């Protein structure tokens, strides 16, 4: 040991106390990690294996849910659309296993369904985003006969997404409060965890607005305009059903309406005000 060397500086806080560990707010990466979303650049074979694995898990669990026949049919319709889009990707000339986790009790089953349902929701949103791109392209290319088919498919995907939300939350509100919600809070997840971190939903919202604007700007002389407007109206109804269903789930599971993000934001503002 060299006695001529001075000791290294000791870092001390200005308030003469041990620093408090700070935790960063939740990010999209935290959201993906929680729902076991592996975001990279998969080839078509990897994508197909993921789709088949998720479908197998959902199909195995669906009979054990409390969803009615209409909701189950909507979930299955969404799976069919996702399968069709995946198969079509293998043949571009053609037109137009379960997540890991314990299942020892009701709370574990609910948490697994919560995450499995969100994975299916992401799959549907991804299919919806590609369908939105295709439909916008048909509008831009004035392929008017194809536009109603795109709108009809989007409506089916919206209804499937609505049923999937029911599937993901198909357990008592008390189970959500006691077993599911805490897994999205510290120390299991960073503060501010929110569905607003859903990247696929953000893309869908932007593309849906673009489609609404494109359809709203059609000339009265557009061929098949009456059919297009009819399908667009049906799509808007499906969107309203989706928003209504989401609000009902939130009201049932979180009666006070305080989301994790809102709680974190309110607490953060309060802490800053106290510090000031």
């Amino acid at each position: 040991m060299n006695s001529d060397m001075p000791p290294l500086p000791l870092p001390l806080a200005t308030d003469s106390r041990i620093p408090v560990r700070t935790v960063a707010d939740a990010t999209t990466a935290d959201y993906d990690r929680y729902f076991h979303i592996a975001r990279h650049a998969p080839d078509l074979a990897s994508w197909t294996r993921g789709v088949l694995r998720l479908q197998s898990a959902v199909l195995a669990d669906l009979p054990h849910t409390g969803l009615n026949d209409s909701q189950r049919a909507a979930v299955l319709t969404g799976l069919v659309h996702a399968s069709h889009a995946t198969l079509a990707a293998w043949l571009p000339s053609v037109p137009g296993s379960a997540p890991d986790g314990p299942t020892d009790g009701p709370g574990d089953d609910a948490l697994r369904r919560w995450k499995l349902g969100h994975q299916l929701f992401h799959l549907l949103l991804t299919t919806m985003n590609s369908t939105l791109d295709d439909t916008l392209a048909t509008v831009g290319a004035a392929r008017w006969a194809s536009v109603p088919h795109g709108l009809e498919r989007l409506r089916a995907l919206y209804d499937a997404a609505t049923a999937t939300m029911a599937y993901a939350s198909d357990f008592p509100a008390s189970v959500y409060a006691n077993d599911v919600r805490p897994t999205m809070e510290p120390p299991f997840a960073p503060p501010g965890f929110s569905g607003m971190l859903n990247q696929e939903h953000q893309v869908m919202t932007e593309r849906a607005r673009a489609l609404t604007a494109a359809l709203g700007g059609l000339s009265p002389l557009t061929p098949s305009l009456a059919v297009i407007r009819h399908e667009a109206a049906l799509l808007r109804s499906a969107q309203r059903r989706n928003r209504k269903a989401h609000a009902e789930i939130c009201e049932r599971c979180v009666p006070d309406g305080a989301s994790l993000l809102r709680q974190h934001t309110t607490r953060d503002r309060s802490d800053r005000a106290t510090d000031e």
Side-chain angles (χ1 to χ4, degrees):
M1 180 175 179
N2 190 346
S3 59
D4 295 331
M5 292 293 294
L8 294 174
L10 175 66
L12 295 177
T14 56
D15 62 359
S16 300
R17 289 170 176 79
I18 297 175
V20 177
R21 180 175 179 268
T22 59
V23 180
D25 290 354
T27 64
T28 297
D30 297 310
Y31 181 96
D32 290 348
R33 189 180 306 110
Y34 178 84
F35 286 113
H36 306 291
I37 305 260
R39 198 174 295 281
H40 52 89
D43 57 21
L44 186 54
S46 298
W47 163 265
T48 303
R49 282 193 292 270
V51 170
L52 292 174
R53 186 167 54 248
L54 179 57
Q55 286 181 341
S56 297
V58 173
L59 290 173
D61 190 44
L62 201 57
H64 306 290
T65 69
L67 273 64
N68 58 38
D69 290 342
S70 177
Q71 291 171 321
R72 293 187 189 190
V75 171
L76 294 173
T77 300
L79 288 176
V80 169
H81 279 302
S83 296
H84 180 273
T86 299
L87 290 172
W90 282 98
L91 301 170
S93 60
V94 176
S97 96
D100 296 330
T103 55
D104 299 328
D108 294 324
D109 290 339
L111 181 58
R112 182 174 183 275
R113 182 174 295 165
W114 176 250
K115 293 187 177 183
L116 197 64
H118 275 77
Q119 284 194 342
L120 176 55
F121 188 52
H122 277 267
L123 176 60
L124 293 172
L125 285 170
T126 300
T127 307
M128 194 181 299
N129 289 337
S130 294
T131 304
L132 281 162
D133 287 343
D134 292 342
T135 307
L136 277 164
T138 61
V139 174
R143 299 198 300 272
W144 307 119
S146 299
V147 174
H149 299 296
L151 296 174
E152 182 180 6
R153 189 177 183 195
L154 285 169
R155 170 167 53 87
L157 287 166
Y158 254 101
D159 285 337
T162 301
T164 297
M165 291 192 303
Y167 163 70
S169 59
D170 185 52
F171 40 77
S174 59
V175 174
Y176 176 81
N178 298 327
D179 299 301
V180 176
R181 185 180 172 98
T183 68
M184 294 179 284
E185 299 178 287
F188 305 106
F193 194 88
S194 169
M196 295 178 65
L197 300 171
N198 183 332
Q199 177 175 311
E200 278 66 40
H201 190 271
Q202 293 173 5
V203 173
M204 185 277 294
T205 300
E206 183 272 326
R207 299 306 282 161
R209 288 173 179 165
L211 179 59
T212 298
L215 295 177
L218 294 181
S219 165
L221 301 178
T222 301
S224 304
L225 183 60
V227 178
I228 292 174
R229 284 179 173 173
H230 175 69
E231 289 298 335
L234 293 178
L235 175 58
R236 289 194 297 273
S237 295
Q239 292 170 325
R240 286 193 294 270
R241 287 193 297 272
N242 182 271
R243 290 191 291 268
K244 182 174 183 291
H246 183 260
E248 290 174 349
I249 291 172
C250 292
E251 184 177 351
R252 178 174 66 86
C253 292
V254 190
D256 62 2
S259 68
L260 294 175
L261 178 60
R262 185 179 302 174
Q263 283 184 342
H264 171 60
T265 302
T266 302
R267 188 181 302 116
D268 188 51
R269 289 174 178 170
S270 176
D271 291 344
R272 287 201 302 269
T274 301
D275 292 340
E276 293 172 358

